[in-house]
Amino acid sequence: MVFTTSAEAPEKVPEGSNSVLVKNLYLSCDPYMRGRMSKPLHKSYTDAFTPGSVITGYGVCKVVDSGHPNFKAGDLVWGMTGWEEFSLISMPDALIKIKYTDVPLSYYTGILGMPGLTAYAGFHEICSPKKGETVYVSAASGAVGQLVGQFAKLMGCYVVGSAGTKEKVDLLKNKFGFDDAFNYKEEPDLTAALKRCFPNGIDIYFENVGGAMLDAVLLNMRDHGRIAVCGLISQYNLTKQDSVHNLFCLITKRIRMQGFIEPDFKHQYPQFLELVIQYIRDGKLIYVEDVVEGIEKAPSALIGLFSGRNVGKQVVNVAHE
Amino acid sequence: MVFTTSAEAPEKVPEGSNSVLVKNLYLSCDPYMRGRMSKPLHKSYTDAFTPGSVITGYGVCKVVDSGHPNFKAGDLVWGMTGWEEFSLISMPDALIKIKYTDVPLSYYTGILGMPGLTAYAGFHEICSPKKGETVYVSAASGAVGQLVGQFAKLMGCYVVGSAGTKEKVDLLKNKFGFDDAFNYKEEPDLTAALKRCFPNGIDIYFENVGGAMLDAVLLNMRDHGRIAVCGLISQYNLTKQDSVHNLFCLITKRIRMQGFIEPDFKHQYPQFLELVIQYIRDGKLIYVEDVVEGIEKAPSALIGLFSGRNVGKQVVNVAHE
C-alpha cells in the first residue's frame, strides 16, 4: 500500500488484521538496494523491487496503531518499511522494538542497525582478526567502513582506510582513529599506494568496493591473509562488471576470500546491541551520519551513494516524532 | 651442478660433504613449474629458475652414494632433484625415503607424492566436504583432479568433472567413477553446461583452471559454497591474466574461496601415505599416468601440460633401477 501524503494515510489498521501502522521517521539509504533495481543474474538474498510499488528499505518508525500483540501505539521500532510517510506493515514480526533511546534514533539505520551488525560480524566472524595484524578498509568512511576500522582499532590492529575526498580522509585519521588513510582518487597507482601504507603487506582486507582496488590489494596481501567481501560498490552501476586479474595471488599467498551478508548473523544482534551501545556511551565508538531532511530528497540521497556524495552513513529524516 | 650424461657424473660425493648423489629414475612434470619460468609479480612460495642452471623438480631417485647419515647407497627416495641423469643433492634433508615398493615407483611423483597430498589436503582441509554434497572438479583427469574426484566419491559426494578430450571424459566416467563428466571444449556455454550437470547448484568447486570457467562456476554455486583454488592452468601462459567478472556471487551466495599450496600440509604426509597406500592396495583409488621415456622428452612433456596433451599425471622415465 502506498501513501504518498499523510492526508491519505489511515489512522487505524484494518479490523482483524495483525498489521502495524507506522509513521516513518528515518529511512536508510544502503548500497544493497541498487541490486534490487536490476533483474538478478541469479537468485539473490533479496527480492527485486516491483516497478510501480513503493520502495522498501530499513527505517526507524513510530507505531501509530497495531493489530499485533507485540506492538502498541507509541512504540519506536526499526526494520523494513516503505519509502513513504506512513506504512502499513503486514508482516511486523521482523520489526525490532527500540530499547535504548539515549542515542539518536537514526543510529538504528546505521551503527545500531544493519550496517553496524554487518561491520561487527564481518570483521569478527569473517576476518578472523588477531591483535597486531594489519587491516585495510575501502569505502572506509561509509556506513560500514567507519565501524570496521574502529572495531579493528579496538582489537589492537594497525588500520588504514581509503576514501574519495580529502574531507573523508581527514575524518578517517582525525575522528575515527585510523592509523593512516588515503584518497584513492589522487593515487595514480593503487598498488603503490597500498605498498606505501603497508610496507609489510595486508593481513585483512575488508572489501567494500571491488574492481581495480581488489586487484591492487591482492598484490599487497600477506601470506594467509583474509578478505571479507562485504560489498562491491564500484561495480553496482556497471552493465558489465570490471574484471579482476590477480586471483593467482589467492594460491601463492594462501588467501581466504569470503563473502557474507548480515541476515546470516541476525541471531547475534542482541549481544551486538549491548556491546555497541556501551561503546557509544563510553565514547569508544563514534558514528558519522549524513542526514538529509525530507522524503523528497530520498531518491537523490540513494543515488549519491554510488558517486560517494555522502559523508558517513546516508540517512533521510522523513519526520520528527 | 649439471651432469648431462652419466659419463660426466661422479661416482662419489665429495669427501666430507653431507650431500647425496642420486640416479634419477622418474621426473615429475607439474604446472607450478611454469611459474618458476617467469619473473614473479610478487614474492612466491617457490624461487624462479636460474637461466643456465639445471631445472629442478620433484623426482624419484636411487641413492648412488651418500655423505648424509639418513641415506645410503641403494636407498630409493623422492623429493626435489634435477632434470638430469644424476644429481648431487646438497640439501638432502628434504628427501623422503620410499617405504612401500609394492606400487609403481612413479607413483611417488603423483598419487603418493606432491599431487596426491595436494588433492587430499585441498579437498579435506579447504573444501570442508560433507556427505551428499555436489562437487565439481576442473582439469579433472589431471594429476590432482582425478584424485579429488575419487576422494569426493569416497566421502559420498556427487561428483562431476570436466576435461578437454573425449578420451579424458571417458576416463572420468568409466575409470575414476565420477557421476558425470563433460568436455569443456565442446560446450558453447559453460554456464549452461554446469547448470545441466548441477540443476541444484555446486557446493564445492575444486579450481584447477581459472578464467572463464571460474566465472561460469560462480553463477552456478550454491549458498555457502566453497571454492578451493589449487591452480589456474588456463592462465599460466598468458601475459595478461584473463578477467573474472562474477565475484559479486561471493557475497550473494556467501561463498568461501581459498587458495592453498601443498607445502603447508607436509606434516600430514605420513598419515596421508598410510591411508592412500591402503586405498591403492584395496583398489579403492586408481591412478592414471602418462609416462614418456627418456630425459630428452622431458621439455616437451612439461610444455604439453599447458595444452592438455597429457592423459593423467605426466611423468618422465629417465632410467630404470
Side-chain angles (χ1 to χ4, degrees):
Chain A
M1 239 175 272
V2 185
F3 313 116
T4 47
T5 66
S6 21
E8 290 178 5
E11 288 174 9
K12 294 280 175 194
V13 299
E15 195 75 33
S17 151
N18 74 344
S19 297
V20 171
L21 177 69
V22 299
K23 179 181 182 187
N24 292 312
L25 307 180
Y26 293 97
L27 297 176
S28 180
C29 296
D30 294 300
Y32 82 91
M33 297 171 78
R34 178 63 183 81
R36 302 184 66 188
M37 297 177 188
S38 307
K39 205 175 155 194
L41 261 177
H42 50 81
K43 186 183 150 293
S44 186
Y45 61 99
T46 50
D47 295 330
F49 291 129
T50 309
S53 297
V54 68
I55 282 181
T56 55
Y58 286 103
V60 172
C61 326
K62 187 168 193 170
V63 175
V64 175
D65 187 36
S66 172
H68 192 287
N70 290 2
F71 304 98
K72 62 176 193 302
D75 282 350
L76 292 165
V77 297
W78 74 272
M80 275 284 156
T81 187
W83 277 34
E84 54 195 339
E85 292 187 90
F86 292 84
S87 294
L88 186 67
I89 297 175
S90 58
M91 292 188 293
D93 285 311
L95 290 175
I96 297 176
K97 251 200 272 201
I98 289 178
K99 191 170 165 186
Y100 303 113
T101 55
D102 57 334
V103 294
L105 283 179
S106 53
Y107 276 17
Y108 290 91
T109 67
I111 184 171
L112 294 175
M114 181 276 285
L117 184 55
T118 300
Y120 178 77
F123 183 65
H124 291 100
E125 302 288 328
I126 308 293
C127 296
S128 311
K130 288 191 286 288
K131 188 179 169 177
E133 286 192 320
T134 57
V135 176
Y136 173 54
V137 187
S138 55
S141 69
V144 174
Q146 56 176 296
L147 292 173
V148 172
Q150 293 180 79
F151 285 130
K153 285 307 300 173
L154 285 168
M155 167 146 278
C157 296
Y158 180 84
V159 185
V160 179
S162 61
T165 67
K166 183 178 180 306
E167 178 188 8
K168 294 180 188 180
V169 169
D170 287 344
L171 272 181
L172 295 176
K173 289 203 261 196
N174 302 321
K175 193 162 178 87
F176 300 129
F178 283 55
D179 295 290
D180 202 355
F182 65 92
N183 180 346
Y184 72 92
K185 288 181 180 167
E186 290 186 348
E187 295 291 343
D189 179 342
L190 290 174
T191 305
L194 290 168
K195 181 79 188 162
R196 183 183 74 228
C197 293
F198 296 99
N200 297 313
I202 301 165
D203 291 305
I204 291 170
Y205 174 45
F206 198 96
E207 166 68 298
N208 287 314
V209 302
M213 183 63 87
L214 178 56
D215 262 341
V217 167
L218 284 165
L219 296 178
N220 280 285
M221 290 294 288
R222 283 167 64 95
D223 287 355
H224 304 287
R226 285 84 66 201
I227 299 176
V229 191
C230 177
L232 300 170
I233 198 166
S234 73
Q235 306 295 297
Y236 298 170
N237 273 339
L238 304 178
T239 46
K240 185 164 172 61
Q241 303 281 291
D242 271 353
S243 46
V244 174
H245 297 276
N246 294 333
L247 292 178
F248 188 69
C249 297
L250 296 182
I251 303 177
T252 55
K253 302 179 179 192
R254 298 85 117 184
I255 294 168
R256 188 182 78 209
M257 187 165 169
Q258 189 165 355
F260 72 99
I261 60 170
E262 177 264 2
D264 289 346
F265 298 95
K266 280 281 188 218
H267 59 285
Q268 294 191 12
Y269 184 74
Q271 72 184 69
F272 157 82
L273 176 65
E274 297 306 321
L275 182 85
V276 172
I277 192 81
Q278 202 51 52
Y279 277 148
I280 295 172
R281 288 170 182 155
D282 296 346
K284 288 183 179 167
L285 278 181
I286 53 176
Y287 201 58
V288 170
E289 297 176 315
D290 190 330
V291 185
V292 296
E293 298 287 334
I295 194 167
E296 67 283 2
K297 301 235 178 84
S300 67
L302 179 59
I303 291 166
L305 291 179
F306 303 95
S307 56
R309 210 169 53 213
N310 57 307
V311 178
K313 164 67 193 172
Q314 183 68 62
V315 186
V316 180
N317 189 359
V318 179
H320 295 274
E321 273 191 73
Chain B
M1 241 175 270
V2 185
F3 313 118
T4 49
T5 68
S6 22
E8 290 178 5
E11 289 173 8
K12 294 281 177 193
V13 300
E15 195 76 31
S17 152
N18 75 343
S19 296
V20 171
L21 177 69
V22 300
K23 181 183 181 185
N24 292 312
L25 306 178
Y26 292 97
L27 297 176
S28 181
C29 296
D30 295 299
Y32 82 90
M33 297 171 77
R34 178 63 183 82
R36 302 185 64 190
M37 296 175 187
S38 306
K39 203 175 158 196
L41 262 177
H42 50 80
K43 186 182 151 291
S44 185
Y45 62 99
T46 51
D47 295 328
F49 291 130
T50 308
S53 296
V54 70
I55 282 180
T56 55
Y58 286 103
V60 172
C61 326
K62 187 168 193 169
V63 175
V64 176
D65 188 36
S66 172
H68 192 287
N70 291 3
F71 303 98
K72 63 177 192 304
D75 282 350
L76 292 165
V77 296
W78 75 270
M80 275 285 156
T81 186
W83 277 34
E84 55 195 337
E85 291 187 271
F86 292 84
S87 295
L88 187 65
I89 297 174
S90 58
M91 291 188 293
D93 285 310
L95 290 175
I96 297 176
K97 250 201 270 201
I98 289 177
K99 190 169 165 187
Y100 304 112
T101 56
D102 58 333
V103 293
L105 284 179
S106 53
Y107 276 17
Y108 290 91
T109 68
I111 184 171
L112 295 176
M114 180 275 286
L117 184 55
T118 299
Y120 178 78
F123 183 64
H124 290 100
E125 303 287 330
I126 308 293
C127 296
S128 312
K130 288 189 286 290
K131 188 177 171 180
E133 287 193 318
T134 58
V135 176
Y136 172 54
V137 188
S138 55
S141 70
V144 174
Q146 56 177 296
L147 291 173
V148 172
Q150 293 180 80
F151 285 130
K153 284 307 299 172
L154 285 167
M155 166 146 280
C157 296
Y158 180 84
V159 185
V160 178
S162 62
T165 68
K166 183 178 181 307
E167 178 187 9
K168 294 179 188 180
V169 169
D170 287 345
L171 271 181
L172 294 176
K173 289 203 258 196
N174 302 320
K175 195 164 177 90
F176 300 129
F178 283 56
D179 295 289
D180 201 354
F182 66 90
N183 180 347
Y184 72 91
K185 289 182 180 166
E186 291 185 346
E187 297 290 345
D189 180 343
L190 290 173
T191 306
L194 289 168
K195 181 79 187 160
R196 184 182 74 228
C197 293
F198 296 98
N200 297 314
I202 301 166
D203 291 306
I204 290 171
Y205 174 44
F206 198 95
E207 166 68 298
N208 287 314
V209 303
M213 183 63 87
L214 178 56
D215 261 340
V217 167
L218 284 165
L219 296 178
N220 280 283
M221 290 295 287
R222 283 166 64 94
D223 287 355
H224 304 289
R226 285 83 68 200
I227 298 177
V229 190
C230 177
L232 300 170
I233 198 166
S234 73
Q235 306 296 298
Y236 297 169
N237 274 338
L238 303 178
T239 46
K240 183 163 172 63
Q241 303 280 291
D242 270 352
S243 47
V244 174
H245 298 274
N246 295 332
L247 291 178
F248 187 68
C249 296
L250 295 182
I251 303 176
T252 55
K253 302 178 178 193
R254 299 84 117 184
I255 293 168
R256 188 182 77 210
M257 187 166 170
Q258 189 167 358
F260 72 99
I261 60 170
E262 177 264 2
D264 288 345
F265 298 95
K266 280 284 188 218
H267 59 284
Q268 295 192 8
Y269 184 74
Q271 73 185 67
F272 158 82
L273 177 65
E274 297 307 321
L275 181 86
V276 171
I277 191 80
Q278 201 52 51
Y279 276 147
I280 296 171
R281 288 169 183 154
D282 295 346
K284 287 183 179 166
L285 277 180
I286 55 176
Y287 202 59
V288 170
E289 298 177 315
D290 190 330
V291 184
V292 297
E293 298 285 333
I295 193 166
E296 68 283 1
K297 301 235 177 82
S300 66
L302 178 60
I303 292 166
L305 291 178
F306 303 95
S307 56
R309 210 167 56 213
N310 56 307
V311 179
K313 164 68 194 174
Q314 183 68 62
V315 187
V316 181
N317 188 359
V318 180
H320 296 276
E321 277 192 68

